[in-house]
Amino acid sequence: MDYRTIIEPFRIHAVEPIRMTTRQERLRAIEAAGWNLFGLHADDVLIDLLTDSGTGAMSRDQWAAMQHGDESYAGSPSWFIFLEAVHGLFPYRHVIPTHQGRAAERILFTAIGGPGKVVPNNTHFDTTRANVEATGATAVDCVIPEGRVPSLRHPFKGNMDLDLLDRTIRVAGPGNVPVVFVTVTNNSGGGQPVSMANIRGVRAVCDRHGIPLFLDACRFAENAWFIREREDGFASTPIVDIVREMASCADGMTMSAKKDGLANIGGWLAMDDDGLAERCRNLLILTEGFPTYGGLAGRDLEAIAQGLREVVHEDYLRYRIRSTAYLGDAVAAAGVPAVVPTGGHAVYLDARALLPHIPPLAYPGQSLAVALYVEGGIRGCEIGTVMFGAQPDGTEEPAAMDLVRLAIPRRTYTQSHIDYTIEVVLRVAEHAADLRGYRIVEAPAQLRHFTARFEPLG
Ligand SMILES: *Cc1c(COP(=O)(O)O)cnc(C)c1O
């Protein structure tokens, strides 16, 4: 079809009301939350773009699959349905279910991390970095230089800088690098895709040094769609085949089913290495559960299995990527600085460029995120110095970028919700010069962005 409008490929089957609030109500709510959007009561949020993780709408067929859930402690039929669905895309010998992605990370890095170890990644997601560092290991980001500059266009801005990766491995000593990670799409770098050629290139570097390669595969389907759209030779390759090819380049994966699993909870860790799988399963039993359910109910395993069948549909992916670009294009057309091109799951506003009068250590991203909430009830997420600025030694440094992520939950909001969001962003941008910075008055040692309390600067 050659129509310009790409419609939502579904109609609405159950309705969740959202509550209108006044600006005064929102000001009171955010002040009470210590100016931290994570501290809000979600009923006080109108359009919740905090994350696309676990916030999507499940399909009729996923809800039906949940009724099929079998809660046997060991060997549940739901486990085998889940395993078959995962293997259809990622045929690794061992699949270890976990309650979400970070549990897979914690288990893996507990098994292979530790002081003196170095883990390269294109860009570590916040929980990935925290789980690497919690073992005493060092997390190193090796994304291509274009990936660090919001305004620079590149079709695969999530690509690994292969020379930097090679140098990082040589400096650390290959024996100190237990794994190399590639995050698809590159969430913290703007939801930007990684090309198949680059994944193969990372594989070659890993082979040269005898190091295993793992995918942080949370948005594997969105990445596969970009490969099909943008990389030579894939225009007519089925999405499933692209996913399998990505998988075949790696030795294992971590996954959050709350993203491209189209589920509200769940994840897994998968690998070919028998010995490593044995160690990971032992850790799994300690904190997550028996290896055929890993902290999930049988019904969750069924919902994920059905989600994996739906997420590789072309109609779904075309709508998904287009609807995210719709927001990104509108913001860019109005001259609001943002990461370009738009990534798969979110639009990333460039708060550092929009608020040049607020230095990074006064958190321009926090300022912009709070302003979007107060102005229009829209909840985004700071991805910048609040999230990444705290150093392991207790000091603070500006993050590479100060972004505000507007993440789009899957199959949840309609075009009019997004049109409203665009209006609010433009209104806030018009008054950008009036926004003030923040200081942190209280913060935990790790992952401070979740619970820190702030104070507006005078
Ligand atoms: C969400 C996410 C994770 C962690 O998964 P959770 O299910 O939230 O624990 C890890 N890596 C990336 C790239 C993610 O987007």
Side-chain angles (χ1 to χ4, degrees), residues 367-411:
S367 175
L368 178 58
V370 168
L372 292 172
Y373 173 71
V374 172
E375 176 64 33
I378 291 163
R379 177 157 69 168
C381 184
E382 194 262 9
I383 307 247
T385 302
V386 176
M387 189 180 270
F388 293 119
Q391 305 300 304
D393 66 1
T395 61
E396 195 177 29
E397 277 174 32
M401 300 186 263
D402 278 295
L403 305 175
V404 172
R405 182 185 67 185
L406 303 177
I408 316 291
R410 293 171 180 75
R411 307 187 292 199

Side-chain angles (χ1 to χ4, degrees), residues 54-73:
T55 52
M58 290 212 299
S59 69
R60 172 191 65 189
D61 293 341
Q62 282 179 291
W63 286 108
M66 289 188 84
Q67 287 293 334
H68 193 262
D70 178 291
E71 306 305 337
S72 301
Y73 187 90

Side-chain angles (χ1 to χ4, degrees), residues 259-379:
K259 285 56 172 270
D260 276 353
L262 297 182
N264 300 124
I265 197 71
W268 68 86
L269 171 62
M271 65 200 69
D272 283 330
D273 184 324
D274 298 333
L276 177 60
E278 171 77 21
R279 281 188 287 151
C280 289
R281 280 206 183 91
N282 290 336
L283 290 166
L284 179 87
I285 293 173
L286 210 57
T287 57
E288 291 278 302
F290 189 71
T292 63
Y293 74 87
L296 293 168
R299 66 180 83 97
D300 299 325
L301 294 167
E302 297 260 0
I304 296 166
Q306 179 59 26
L308 291 177
R309 287 190 280 271
E310 294 175 12
V311 77
V312 290
H313 279 188
E314 274 177 36
D315 288 351
Y316 163 73
L317 284 170
R318 180 177 295 109
Y319 141 79
R320 169 72 178 157
I321 300 303
R322 174 62 203 139
S323 59
T324 305
Y326 179 82
L327 173 58
D329 291 351
V331 164
V336 177
V339 175
V340 291
T342 304
H345 67 292
V347 171
Y348 291 72
L349 305 176
D350 184 353
R352 195 176 288 174
L354 183 66
L355 307 173
H357 58 290
I358 302 179
L361 293 182
Y363 315 127
Q366 187 65 20
S367 175
L368 178 58
V370 168
L372 292 172
Y373 173 71
V374 172
E375 176 64 33
I378 291 163
R379 177 157 69 168

Side-chain angles (χ1 to χ4, degrees), residues 132-148:
V132 168
E133 290 174 350
T135 72
T138 306
V140 181
D141 293 341
C142 299
V143 73
I144 55 171
E146 292 90 335
R148 297 178 197 266

Side-chain angles (χ1 to χ4, degrees), residues 100-102 105 125 127 183 187 216 218-219 256 258-259:
Q100 56 184 90
R102 68 196 67 186
E105 293 168 347
F125 180 64
T127 62
T183 304
N187 185 359
D216 179 341
C218 296
R219 297 178 183 79
S256 169
K258 302 172 72 171
K259 285 56 172 270

